[in-house]
């Protein structure tokens, strides 16, 4: 029953936003917090691994940006 409700809601959500989610399982996992899974006694996987990966990618992008900014300032100082 819960699975049918989830699929129905997901289909309606996709129609509302005008976008078809390619990997629906991954999309749902990204929304599931560990505390919710424990409270609902749900055997699914939480979003913690995806959150860790996203944080790591974001940190890499920010580090690269800051490095490039510092490099540009150093080059300007040499002029």
């Amino acid at each position: 029953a819960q699975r049918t409700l989830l699929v129905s809601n997901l289909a309606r959500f996709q129609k509302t936003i005008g976008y078809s989610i390619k990997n629906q399982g991954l999309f749902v996992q990204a929304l599931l917090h560990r505390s919710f899974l424990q409270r609902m006694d749900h055997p699914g996987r939480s979003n913690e691994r995806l959150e860790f990966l996203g944080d790591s990618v974001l940190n890499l992008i920010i580090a690269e940006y800051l490095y490039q900014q510092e490099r540009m300032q150093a080059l300007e100082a040499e002029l």
Side-chain angles (χ1 to χ4, degrees):
Q2 283 183 334
R3 179 80 178 148
T4 304
L5 181 62
L6 177 64
V7 170
S8 172
N9 286 337
L10 190 55
R12 191 171 63 213
F13 174 73
Q14 291 178 96
K15 186 176 180 179
T16 300
I17 65 172
Y19 180 79
S20 178
I21 298 165
K22 292 172 183 49
N23 189 334
Q24 294 180 2
L26 190 59
F27 178 78
V28 170
Q29 181 184 351
L31 300 175
L32 294 175
H33 193 269
R34 179 175 34 153
S35 63
F36 172 79
L37 294 174
Q38 290 171 346
R39 189 175 312 126
M40 300 303 287
D41 196 29
H42 191 283
R45 298 173 86 181
S46 75
N47 62 0
E48 288 179 285
R49 290 178 67 182
L50 297 172
E51 183 180 7
F52 177 79
L53 178 62
D55 289 348
S56 297
V57 170
L58 188 57
N59 285 334
L60 175 64
I61 291 168
I62 291 170
E64 175 68 18
Y65 173 78
L66 292 174
Y67 174 77
Q68 292 299 332
Q69 291 295 102
E70 184 68 29
R71 194 169 151 222
M72 292 299 289
Q73 288 178 359
L75 288 174
E76 288 176 4
E78 288 178 11
L79 295 175

